Amino acid sequence: MYSKDYQTYLESEPSEKDIPNNKKIITPSPQVVELQIGSKSVINFTSSNYLGFSNNQYFLKSIWKIESSYQVHKTNIYRSLEKKISDFLGMEDSIAYASIYDANGGVLDPLFTQDDAVIFDEQNHISDTIPSLGKSTCYHYKSKSLRDLENQLKKASSHNYRFKIIVTEGVFFMDGIMADLKGICDLAEKYNALVFVNDSEATGFIGKTGRGTHEYHGVMERVDIITSTFGKTFGWFTSGRKEIINLLRERSKPYIFSNSLSTAVADTSIQIIDMLSKDNLLSEKVMQNTVYFCKKIKEAGFDIIEGNSAIVSVMLYDSKLAQEFANELFYEGIYVTGFFHPVVPKGKARIRIQLSAAHTIEHLDKAVFSFSKVGKELGVI
């Protein structure tokens, strides 16, 4: 149920004053991370809204205008979006899907058979493994271990597979640590393998110009397939070599047998790509917030996983403690989620924080203060 004020806002008509000067970046409002849940006002630290575009006033109010503008020749906007994605990521071609789940699930199954080997990082997001991999031989390697990856590639290379493909996260969704894409690409070249990266936790704000982890690691021309979305806000896609994308258009079931993105989402995604191509202020803000929060939460005495993304895991180790800690933070006005086995390994329970360009210093200070208060009450610090 929407609040009365939000419902009134949704029902209001967009006006010209809501359309910004196209030379300026659309600044996310701090209010997008301030939620009303029941009678409780909380700051949201458990959303993948990295760029702060969720519930953005300009995009919400322009969606109605956009949808009515593309009743004819809708194909044009999708092809325009796919070209924008390809140009932004430095890939040859792209294909748009209705969800990132579809984008990940629509890659391996149509491309690889029993004659191929798929080499998985054991901590890949579950959506990376949705296809029936019974058709191909699957090798798992210890997460982020180049040594074990090479061992698995050696095993796969001892067989006469048609193709070998390494599948990894760009940023691992539960701990915020980047994969070593340069090391992975080096091994892929050594053992004649393809590289597939799910970059959903990075596109739009990781890398010098926000292109993602392949830009961050300097391997933009060495990754064969990327699936992602823009700051987990709009648009889902697979990008890659032209031959791969052509095959997906013909064989990828989630693409063929699902509805397309709405024209409003497609058009909004184009606007976001244009914006990110002109200015990296938002990506810089996300990372500035992350550096600030990490410094302050460590100074408060908490143990965190040292990552290099907008995800920060505050380690509590005990499952019951993680649940209790998250509940107590909610009553302090901080909305987070406790993660524990089987989502993470036993003994690795945590609170996962996701930073956004919409968070202010005041939001971050409030979070650190609340973490400290609850941490002392529960004997963590």
Side-chain angles (χ1 to χ4, degrees):
M1 179 69 70
Y2 294 132
S3 68
K4 182 177 179 181
D5 289 343
Y6 189 58
Q7 186 66 45
T8 301
Y9 161 71
L10 286 178
E11 293 170 355
S12 65
E13 287 294 325
S15 63
E16 293 304 314
K17 67 181 177 64
D18 297 311
I19 301 176
N21 184 325
N22 60 14
K23 293 182 181 180
K24 296 180 180 178
I25 197 158
I26 299 174
T27 305
S29 167
Q31 280 69 48
V32 305
V33 293
E34 297 171 4
L35 306 179
Q36 188 73 26
I37 301 179
S39 60
K40 192 70 182 174
S41 297
V42 296
I43 305 168
N44 189 3
F45 282 94
T46 187
S47 169
S48 299
N49 180 28
Y50 298 116
L51 295 174
F53 287 146
S54 178
N55 292 339
N56 178 276
Q57 182 175 2
Y58 165 67
F59 290 131
L60 278 176
K61 289 195 172 186
S62 67
I63 276 175
W64 297 311
K65 292 182 178 180
I66 294 166
E67 195 66 53
S68 63
S69 301
Y70 289 99
Q71 296 305 312
V72 184
H73 304 307
K74 288 186 177 182
T75 301
N76 294 339
I77 192 173
Y78 298 125
R79 292 302 295 143
S80 177
L81 171 60
E82 289 165 348
K83 185 177 186 310
K84 291 276 188 180
I85 292 169
S86 303
D87 292 343
F88 184 78
L89 296 182
M91 305 297 276
E92 292 181 1
D93 200 0
S94 299
I95 180 172
Y97 286 88
S99 73
I100 189 61
Y101 197 79
D102 285 343
N104 284 337
V107 173
L108 296 176
D109 196 45
L111 294 180
F112 300 99
T113 71
Q114 66 272 13
D115 298 321
D116 306 308
V118 180
I119 301 99
F120 269 82
D121 186 295
E122 65 183 6
Q123 287 189 10
N124 279 347
H125 194 283
I126 187 62
S127 68
D128 294 331
T129 63
I130 3 181
S132 172
L133 294 177
K135 294 197 311 182
S136 55
T137 303
C138 189
Y139 297 80
H140 287 85
Y141 64 96
K142 294 177 182 178
S143 187
K144 300 175 283 293
S145 170
L146 293 179
R147 177 178 295 181
D148 195 39
L149 171 57
E150 183 163 22
N151 288 337
Q152 302 307 317
L153 284 166
K154 286 178 179 177
K155 290 179 183 178
S157 297
S158 67
H159 300 274
N160 189 28
Y161 290 117
R162 184 184 60 153
F163 294 114
K164 298 183 289 293
I165 183 167
I166 302 166
V167 182
T168 183
E169 303 286 286
V171 172
F172 288 89
F173 76 108
M174 197 49 65
D175 58 25
I177 296 175
M178 286 191 208
D180 181 356
L181 289 191
K182 183 181 184 304
I184 289 172
C185 288
D186 288 345
L187 288 174
E189 290 177 6
K190 182 177 179 180
Y191 292 94
N192 193 29
L194 301 168
V195 177
F196 169 14
V197 179
N198 176 353
D199 222 19
S200 301
E201 313 293 342
T203 302
F205 59 95
I206 294 291
K208 186 177 180 179
T209 60
R211 265 64 178 175
T213 55
H214 66 319
E215 180 187 39
Y216 181 91
H217 289 286
V219 293
M220 287 189 68
E221 296 183 357
R222 301 173 67 191
V223 173
D224 300 283
I225 301 172
I226 292 175
T227 57
S228 195
T229 179
F230 287 96
K232 286 292 188 78
T233 305
F234 295 104
W236 304 272
F237 56 85
T238 298
S239 291
R241 304 191 185 282
K242 188 168 293 185
E243 297 83 358
I244 292 173
I245 301 303
N246 284 342
L247 282 172
L248 292 180
R249 291 190 196 282
E250 297 174 1
R251 301 179 184 178
S252 182
K253 291 178 182 177
Y255 177 77
I256 298 170
F257 298 110
S258 292
N259 291 332
S260 303
L261 287 171
S262 73
T263 52
V265 170
D267 187 278
T268 302
S269 298
I270 289 172
Q271 293 182 61
I272 288 174
I273 297 170
D274 287 342
M275 188 185 309
L276 295 176
S277 298
K278 294 175 182 176
D279 202 320
N280 63 347
L281 291 178
L282 290 182
S283 59
E284 289 178 355
K285 178 71 184 306
V286 178
M287 302 317 296
Q288 287 168 0
N289 281 348
T290 303
V291 170
Y292 182 88
F293 179 81
C294 287
K295 179 177 181 292
K296 293 295 183 179
I297 203 74
K298 286 193 293 184
E299 287 175 351
F302 288 94
D303 183 14
I304 68 171
I305 293 179
E306 296 285 354
N308 41 11
S309 70
I311 297 171
V312 180
S313 288
V314 179
M315 301 304 293
L316 299 174
Y317 304 103
D318 180 77
S319 298
K320 183 178 179 181
L321 176 61
Q323 297 174 70
E324 185 177 3
F325 206 106
N327 289 338
E328 291 300 318
L329 282 173
F330 180 82
Y331 290 110
E332 294 296 324
I334 303 298
Y335 184 41
V336 294
T337 303
F339 288 91
F340 43 89
H341 184 75
V343 179
V344 296
K346 287 184 178 180
K348 296 293 184 180
R350 67 197 64 184
I351 301 291
R352 186 182 67 163
I353 300 289
Q354 291 171 283
L355 283 308
S356 168
H359 285 124
T360 65
I361 294 298
E362 290 73 22
H363 290 148
L364 304 180
D365 287 342
K366 165 68 173 173
V368 173
F369 175 83
S370 299
F371 262 88
S372 298
K373 180 181 179 181
V374 174
K376 291 172 182 177
E377 291 174 351
L378 298 180
V380 176
I381 57 174

